[in-house]
Amino acid sequence: MKVLVVGSGGREHALCWTLAASPLCHKLFCAPGNAGIAEDAECVAIAAEDIDGLLAFVEEEAIDYVVVGPEAPLVLGLVDRLSAVGVKAFGPSAAAAALEGSKGFTKDLCAKYDIPTAAYARFTEAEAAKAYVRTQGTPIVVKADGLAAGKGVTVAMTEDEALAAIDAALSEGAFGDAGGEVVIEAFLEGEEASFFALVDGDFALPLVTAQDHKRAFDGDQGPNTGGMGAYSPAPVMTEALIEETMARIIRPTVAAMKAEGCPYKGVLYAGLMITADGPQLIEYNVRFGDPECQVVLMRLMSDLLPALIASTDGVLSTFDLRWYEEPALTVVIAAEGYPGSYEKGSVIQGLEEAEGNSDDIKIFHAGTRRGEDGSLLASGGRVLGVTAMAPGIAQAQARAYGAVDKIDWPQGFCRRDIGWRAVAREEE
């Protein structure tokens, strides 16, 4: 098969690295890709949101299957457009991608179908939203309704923070159209976990669990980011909690989407808060998480491509996936200044030494490109995902940071405590 992966981040590098190993894939492309992806696939200079450009390339190259990595092209209807010309693709339709494209849509769906999530209200007028905050009190969570590149959520510990977040979205246009409406919801206490399932419209196949670290700095301090690291499995997700999540959240959502006339196909990523009352849905994403995808796929023993195709074809119930028992851990190295402003173009060295000849260490590229002289250059905020697998989570952590310390990139930084919760549990 000729396969096209859409996207350019660490998630897409993990997907390309995994799919390139499939005996079903005889030619792999990635649009637009990055310097690391170029080692596993032929990169083509088409932006992930250039739907017309992607359609033209698919037709020109006679692509058999498309795997869509990021959320934006899904919300824009890339899968619908591909389906209309007879090309199979992994990912939901635009209507089903509303699970991520509109937080209000998801909250309303949860309310209608009794899926556990935080109490909420939706607002398009700033004064009404502020009045609600004053009535509810803090802490409280303010979210831009639409896609805001991971920057539209404020966990407000004070009233002033909440009011400022409302003004930023509704009055100042900080998130463009995505912030034309806000969802304000109750603050949930507990431990977060990432839960993934492949879905074929009717059936949901759970994948291994993961947990990521959103805050920029050690000790979960600093601003929220797209993710500074992740590990799998998440010890908080016991077998009982996994089944409860499937029974109360995932399966009801799959049934609800079918009942609403927009059956869901693709990977369903539930951001969970494990509370005293059980798992609660924080939000849905309609694609693999980043950097969770890296640790999940590092542990996958099975061929991923047939499972993705089974999701598209509606025959996922016949599939089972095999996993390595060993934990995996990813440390993200980001450009100094991220998630704020940062410089691009600095040289990165030492990756070959860091990766060595070990099958248990893999460096996934996110924001990288090649310079004219062939040097590796930083071109984004999150730049590398140093991933390691080992018999225990503490060993995986040590192995990942051992590789990090061999990378020569003075303009980069990383957290030094990725996996701390799991390590603490392992030591108990």
Side-chain angles (χ1 to χ4, degrees):
M1 296 179 70
K2 282 188 175 182
V3 178
L4 169 67
V5 173
V6 176
S8 62
R11 167 184 50 228
E12 287 75 34
H13 189 185
L15 285 166
C16 286
W17 174 72
T18 305
L19 294 171
S22 172
L24 295 178
C25 179
H26 72 265
K27 181 65 178 177
L28 182 63
F29 298 92
C30 187
N34 61 41
I37 291 173
E39 297 175 8
D40 296 302
E42 182 178 327
C43 294
V44 291
I46 305 171
E49 296 175 37
D50 181 0
I51 307 300
D52 289 338
L54 291 169
L55 264 290
F57 178 79
V58 164
E59 183 177 4
E60 178 185 332
E61 284 291 337
I63 298 295
D64 299 299
Y65 194 65
V66 179
V67 178
V68 186
E71 64 275 17
L74 294 168
V75 172
L76 290 171
L78 176 56
V79 170
D80 307 73
R81 292 281 301 276
L82 290 166
S83 179
V85 295
V87 177
K88 292 181 178 182
F90 178 76
S93 65
L99 279 175
E100 181 169 359
S102 170
K103 294 177 178 65
F105 171 87
T106 297
K107 299 296 281 192
D108 288 351
L109 189 85
C110 289
K112 182 175 179 179
Y113 291 92
D114 197 27
I115 297 165
T117 189
Y120 74 103
R122 301 173 65 174
F123 298 94
T124 56
E125 298 295 330
E127 290 310 312
K130 291 177 180 180
Y132 181 78
V133 166
R134 294 186 182 105
T135 300
Q136 297 297 311
T138 56
I140 200 163
V141 183
V142 181
K143 298 180 176 180
D145 177 71
L147 298 181
K151 298 175 182 175
V153 177
T154 299
V155 180
M157 304 309 290
T158 67
E159 186 176 291
D160 285 346
E161 283 182 276
L163 301 185
I166 291 167
D167 279 334
L170 296 179
S171 302
E172 299 163 13
F175 309 109
D177 292 343
E181 180 176 343
V182 295
V183 173
I184 302 179
E185 61 184 43
F187 175 80
L188 294 175
E189 290 195 33
E191 185 172 341
E192 290 189 43
S194 302
F195 192 88
F196 300 91
L198 296 182
V199 182
D200 68 0
D202 291 290
F203 180 82
L205 176 67
L207 307 183
V208 291
T209 61
Q211 191 171 63
D212 75 339
H213 298 257
K214 289 295 187 190
R215 298 284 185 171
F217 308 125
D218 286 16
D220 292 326
Q221 300 297 308
N224 269 327
T225 70
M228 293 300 294
Y231 57 92
S232 172
V236 68
M237 293 299 293
T238 63
E239 288 300 320
L241 272 175
I242 289 171
E243 180 48 42
E244 186 177 357
T245 298
M246 290 296 293
R248 298 182 61 202
I249 297 176
I250 302 297
R251 293 190 193 107
T253 298
V254 174
M257 293 297 283
K258 186 175 181 181
E260 292 293 315
C262 46
Y264 190 91
K265 294 185 176 185
V267 63
L268 188 57
Y269 164 15
L272 303 176
M273 184 69 77
I274 310 305
T275 72
D277 298 321
Q280 302 259 326
L281 180 70
I282 300 173
E283 63 181 9
Y284 272 128
N285 292 320
V286 298
R287 35 68 187 183
F288 283 103
D290 186 345
E292 296 98 328
C293 184
Q294 291 86 307
V295 289
V296 167
L297 294 185
M298 189 79 169
R299 296 184 60 209
L300 180 64
M301 294 177 67
S302 302
D303 188 347
L304 179 64
L305 186 53
L308 302 188
I309 295 170
S311 167
T312 303
D313 290 347
V315 293
L316 198 56
S317 61
T318 63
F319 269 78
D320 195 15
L321 294 173
R322 297 175 62 215
W323 304 92
Y324 291 105
E325 291 186 8
E326 292 87 349
L329 184 143
T330 291
V331 177
V332 170
I333 309 180
E336 199 68 56
Y338 174 82
S341 59
Y342 52 85
E343 292 185 4
K344 298 180 181 180
S346 53
V347 177
I348 305 168
Q349 300 182 86
L351 265 63
E352 287 186 10
E353 181 185 1
E355 209 166 53
N357 296 316
S358 173
D359 291 336
D360 295 328
I361 297 174
K362 177 65 183 176
I363 299 174
F364 295 108
H365 293 229
T368 64
R369 64 178 179 85
R370 289 289 176 188
E372 292 183 4
D373 61 355
S375 58
L376 183 66
L377 306 177
S379 63
R382 292 186 297 167
V383 177
L384 300 170
V386 181
T387 305
M389 196 162 65
I393 191 68
Q395 291 168 280
Q397 183 192 59
R399 190 168 287 173
Y401 281 112
V404 166
D405 291 339
K406 294 176 182 176
I407 295 173
D408 179 11
W409 183 36
Q411 295 82 7
F413 80 99
C414 69
R415 283 182 56 162
R416 304 297 304 193
D417 64 347
I418 300 302
W420 66 267
R421 288 186 185 87
V423 171
R425 279 195 173 92
E426 191 175 70
E427 292 173 347
E428 287 178 355

